[in-house]
């Protein structure tokens, strides 16, 4: 993990530049159009976890703590400073003053506690209906299992002073607060939009009225969400630097070639998720490409609730059937590294000696025979009409992996699911998926952000049950930064690799393409890309 220099931040480290106080009346006027790989799944960040939803909500809502663009360390945002006490079980935050929500209501300690209490008290029925909640993966449990939760309570000590109490030390707590899921919404807007009642729908996704119109303290105000596009406008009352851009249009193009053509035609100013096929065309046209440091892992998931996959030899055979080198060379951007574990190399806890079975199709066939595999059908789910930072061309990656698995004698049944038709929920919930394609994009600089959500408890995604690994992950979260914590995560990585609950394939490089109009774009490995930092030619 990238260490904190101290557990107290200072206002001078904040993301707002001094330009905010120098010219508070300067209203941004530029229009910026960004091509996305899919529609957002909802705009209440506490109830979704997809990249395109977060890309938008990062502009509208802010959390207590921001992220340093280069180090990944927590920096002041809505909190200007903080300190910890009670041996790491209490954090007190000094809040930025003279900040209001975009609906005019005050930002204060009571608003912070309203949000934390809302997340803690999410009912089970809501959690099952939502596409992705982060509270449990970070704090381990909600109020209906309060004795298991790391979150204890939130206290408004004064309008500008709030304390969060934990039941046990959690080393990655400040880093976790940088997640978009913990951005602070206006309590007034949450109530008005019945935020916990998912009685609305957009493209088949259940969501609340609030998720169609989020309200935060950020530099942009929600404008509209039409078919295929979301529009934001500059927040005239924003407390920080407003930047150059007065209007942002996020326009969805679910095919890579369509995004490329839109950039070449001047319809968009930038787009994310450049694919291998696009890369060469962009280079030939002299377009700017910005690559992010790898901070995601792409994997083949396996579901041990499917009886044949409970056999370790079958899972090992699947790993040995995969030619990762070919997959990376054909479908990922240059310098994408092969993965043998789920924690990327830049984080402490990465284990250079994590076991990898390697590509060995003959041994795979032998293991299947030893396991008594009789050609049982394996349903293989993969997404259509989407590009993810960790999965540039899902249909092509599926076709090659399926070919490799079939070559060793596995009976693969393709199950294509449109991304917007609930793919994420289908493969992360209990079901008949035997195999599936997915990945994990890191959101903060701590190894727990990778192994905790994936392997910290039994999930519907993997059906993986290893109490020893679960308890080691729980213990590692509370260890102070240092040798013991690093070694614990290295051990965890080794144990996960040995039991093969999924096959990590690559630590992908992701990239953006920019038009000539863009002078500077704040690329971030954790995708913390706020558009006030974009610089355009005059």
């Amino acid at each position: 993990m990238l260490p904190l220099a101290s557990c107290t931040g200072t206002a001078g480290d904040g993301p707002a530049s001094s330009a905010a106080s120098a010219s508070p009346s300067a209203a941004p006027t530029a229009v910026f159009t960004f091509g996305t790989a899919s529609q957002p799944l909802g705009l209440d960040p506490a109830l979704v976890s997809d990249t395109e939803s977060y890309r938008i909500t990062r502009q509208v809502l802010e959390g207590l703590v921001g992220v340093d663009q280069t180090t990944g360390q927590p920096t002041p945002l809505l909190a200007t400073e903080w300190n910890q006490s009670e041996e790491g079980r209490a954090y007190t935050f000094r809040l930025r003053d003279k900040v209001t929500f975009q609906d005019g209501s005050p930002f204060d300690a009571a608003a912070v506690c309203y949000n934390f209490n809302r997340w803690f008290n999410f009912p089970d029925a809501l959690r099952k209906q939502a596409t992705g909640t982060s509270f449990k993966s970070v704090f381990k449990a909600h109020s209906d299992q309060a004795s298991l939760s790391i979150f204890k309570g939130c206290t408004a000590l004064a309008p500008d002073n709030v304390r969060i109490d934990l039941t046990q030390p959690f080393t990655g707590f400040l880093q976790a607060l940088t997640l978009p899921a913990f951005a602070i919404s206006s309590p007034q807007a949450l109530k008005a939009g019945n935020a916990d009642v998912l009685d609305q729908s957009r493209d088949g996704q259940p969501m609340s009225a609030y998720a169609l119109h989020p309200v935060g303290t950020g530099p942009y105000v929600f404008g509209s969400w039409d078919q295929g596009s979301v529009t934001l406008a500059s927040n005239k009352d924003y407390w920080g630097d407003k930047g150059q851009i007065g209007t942002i249009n996020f326009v969805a193009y679910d095919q890579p070639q369509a995004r490329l053509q839109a950039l070449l035609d001047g319809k968009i100013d930038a787009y994310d998720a450049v694919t291998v096929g696009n890369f060469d065309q962009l280079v030939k046209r002299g377009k700017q490409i910005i690559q992010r440091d790898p901070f995601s892992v792409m994997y083949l998931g396996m579901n041990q609730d499917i009886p044949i996959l409970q056999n370790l030899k079958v899972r090992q055979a699947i790993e040995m059937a995969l030619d990762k080198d070919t997959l990376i060379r054909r479908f990922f951007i240059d310098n994408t590294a092969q993965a043998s574990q789920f924690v990327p190399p830049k984080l402490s806890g990465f284990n250079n000696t994590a076991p990898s079975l390697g590509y060995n199709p003959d041994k795979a066939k032998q293991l299947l025979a030893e396991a008594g595999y009789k050609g049982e059908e394996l349903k293989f789910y993969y997404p259509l009409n989407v590009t993810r930072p960790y999965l540039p061309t899902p249909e092509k990656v599926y076709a090659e992996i399926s070919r490799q698995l079939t070559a060793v004698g596995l009976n693969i049944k393709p199950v294509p699911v449109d991304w917007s038709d609930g793919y994420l929920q289908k493969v992360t919930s209990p079901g008949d998926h035997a195999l599936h394609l997915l990945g994990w994009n890191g959101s903060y600089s701590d190894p727990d952000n990778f192994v905790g959500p994936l392997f910290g408890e039994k999930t519907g995604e993997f059906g993986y049950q290893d109490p020893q690994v679960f308890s080691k992950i729980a213990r590692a979260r509370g260890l102070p930064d240092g040798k013991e914590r690093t070694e614990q995560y290295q051990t965890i990585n080794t144990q996960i690799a040995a039991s093969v609950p999924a096959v990590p394939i690559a630590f992908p490089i992701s990239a953006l393409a920019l038009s000539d109009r863009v002078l500077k774009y704040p690329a971030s490995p954790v995708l913390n890309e706020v558009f006030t930092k974009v610089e355009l030619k005059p």
Side-chain angles (χ1 to χ4, degrees):
M1 189 175 86
L2 297 165
L4 271 176
S6 135
C7 56
T8 301
T10 59
D13 299 328
S17 79
S18 57
S21 53
S23 55
S25 60
T29 56
V31 177
F32 190 76
T33 302
F34 191 94
T36 66
S38 64
Q39 284 265 57
L41 297 180
L43 298 179
D44 178 353
L47 294 177
V48 292
S49 58
D50 64 296
T51 302
E52 299 308 346
S53 298
Y54 279 173
R55 193 193 306 280
I56 295 167
T57 64
R58 283 184 192 277
Q59 320 302 322
V60 177
L61 300 118
E62 297 172 310
L64 295 178
V65 183
V67 183
D68 183 275
Q69 288 295 118
T70 51
T71 66
Q73 289 188 26
T75 59
L77 196 54
L78 288 177
T80 56
E81 58 183 11
W82 49 81
N83 60 73
Q84 60 167 289
S85 54
E86 304 290 329
E87 298 178 315
R89 291 192 299 273
Y91 287 78
T92 304
F93 296 87
R94 174 77 59 185
L95 303 182
R96 196 174 291 279
D97 61 1
K98 297 177 183 166
V99 175
T100 56
F101 289 105
Q102 294 148 358
D103 58 7
S105 59
F107 165 76
D108 55 18
V112 172
C113 286
Y114 185 95
N115 278 264
F116 271 90
N117 290 329
R118 177 199 175 214
W119 306 326
F120 183 50
N121 288 291
F122 277 154
D124 186 53
L126 174 68
R127 280 142 38 196
K128 284 179 175 156
Q129 200 181 2
T131 58
T133 58
S134 297
F135 187 90
K136 187 180 179 187
S137 69
V138 171
F139 293 101
K140 304 322 291 175
H142 291 269
S143 59
D144 54 359
Q145 294 182 299
S147 63
L148 302 177
S149 184
I150 289 173
F151 178 77
K152 185 176 182 182
C154 179
T155 307
L157 303 172
D160 65 346
N161 209 264
V162 67
R163 188 180 74 235
I164 313 263
D165 290 296
L166 307 178
T167 59
Q168 61 193 68
F170 173 26
T171 306
F173 174 64
L174 287 171
Q175 279 87 346
L177 288 190
T178 67
L179 279 168
F182 302 126
I184 306 298
S185 290
S186 157
Q188 184 175 299
L190 289 169
K191 292 173 196 167
N194 285 325
D196 295 351
V197 180
L198 309 191
D199 57 356
Q200 307 288 309
S201 179
R202 177 60 65 99
D203 293 330
Q205 300 294 331
M207 62 188 73
S208 68
Y210 177 76
L212 293 167
H213 192 131
V215 179
T217 60
Y220 294 94
V221 177
F222 176 82
S224 63
W225 183 355
D226 303 315
Q227 191 60 41
S229 69
V230 174
T231 299
L232 309 179
S234 180
N235 176 6
K236 63 182 176 54
D237 298 317
Y238 184 55
W239 58 266
D241 184 2
K242 299 184 184 70
Q244 290 177 256
I245 296 169
T247 303
I248 311 172
N249 299 310
F250 293 99
V251 182
Y253 297 88
D254 58 20
Q255 295 301 321
Q257 197 61 31
R259 291 194 293 279
L260 170 68
Q261 199 57 50
L263 185 77
L264 297 178
D265 292 345
K267 292 179 181 175
I268 58 176
D269 299 297
Y271 76 84
D272 201 356
V274 172
T275 62
V276 170
N278 288 170
F279 203 96
D280 291 342
Q281 295 178 67
L282 288 162
V283 170
K284 285 173 185 168
R285 301 290 189 104
K287 295 297 179 187
Q288 301 178 74
I289 302 172
I290 293 184
Q291 297 189 36
R292 300 185 187 93
D293 290 338
F295 203 61
S296 65
V297 59
M298 177 257 161
Y299 58 80
L300 173 67
M302 293 184 272
N303 180 9
Q304 290 181 45
D305 283 339
I306 304 299
I308 191 65
L309 291 176
Q310 290 167 10
N311 189 314
L312 175 61
K313 287 185 176 180
V314 173
R315 301 198 304 276
Q316 289 174 329
I318 288 170
E319 179 176 350
M320 288 183 173
L322 295 182
D323 181 356
K324 297 179 186 179
D325 281 341
T326 294
L327 287 163
I328 290 169
R329 189 175 64 251
R330 290 181 60 182
F331 306 118
F332 292 88
I333 290 171
D334 284 354
N335 299 318
T336 289
Q338 191 177 132
S340 62
Q341 59 194 290
F342 287 85
V343 173
K346 69 180 289 185
L347 289 181
S348 67
F350 176 79
N351 189 345
N352 284 316
T353 59
S356 174
L357 298 174
Y359 174 51
N360 191 336
D362 291 335
K363 178 71 172 174
K365 292 174 186 175
Q366 180 186 329
L367 284 172
L368 289 175
E370 290 173 9
Y373 176 70
K374 300 281 193 301
E376 290 91 339
E377 181 180 88
L378 297 173
K379 290 185 177 178
F380 190 160
Y381 281 59
Y382 64 98
L384 303 176
N385 300 318
V386 71
T387 303
R388 311 293 288 157
Y390 50 74
L391 194 55
T393 48
E395 295 94 337
K396 291 179 180 177
V397 172
Y398 161 77
E400 177 58 26
I401 290 179
S402 177
R403 185 193 67 75
Q404 294 176 7
L405 295 178
T406 302
V408 301
L410 290 159
N411 178 11
I412 301 298
K413 181 182 181 182
V415 183
V417 178
D418 201 282
W419 179 260
S420 65
D421 191 28
Y423 177 80
L424 198 57
Q425 195 150 21
K426 284 181 169 71
V427 299
T428 57
S429 303
D432 66 352
H433 52 92
L435 306 173
H436 65 277
L437 281 185
L438 206 58
W440 182 263
N441 203 92
S443 304
Y444 60 93
S445 293
D446 191 293
D448 182 68
N449 180 228
F450 282 83
V451 295
L454 294 173
F455 305 113
E457 63 181 358
K458 185 177 180 184
T459 65
E461 181 173 6
F462 303 115
Y464 167 71
Q465 185 76 32
D466 189 332
Q468 191 182 57
V469 167
F470 296 168
S471 72
K472 282 183 177 176
I473 289 173
R475 179 173 176 267
R477 315 171 99 232
L479 290 173
D481 279 327
K483 186 169 181 278
E484 186 184 1
R485 191 171 197 257
T486 297
E487 288 175 351
Q488 181 84 335
Y489 278 111
Q490 289 173 338
T491 300
I492 289 165
N493 278 329
T494 298
Q495 282 191 238
I496 291 170
S499 60
V500 202
V503 183
I505 292 171
F507 294 122
I509 298 274
S510 69
L512 303 115
L514 308 176
S515 75
D516 299 338
R517 191 178 166 228
V518 181
L519 288 173
K520 187 178 175 186
Y521 182 92
S524 157
V526 297
L527 307 181
N528 182 42
E529 297 166 357
V530 179
F531 286 22
T532 52
K533 296 283 201 301
V534 174
E535 293 180 18
L536 304 173
K537 289 181 181 173

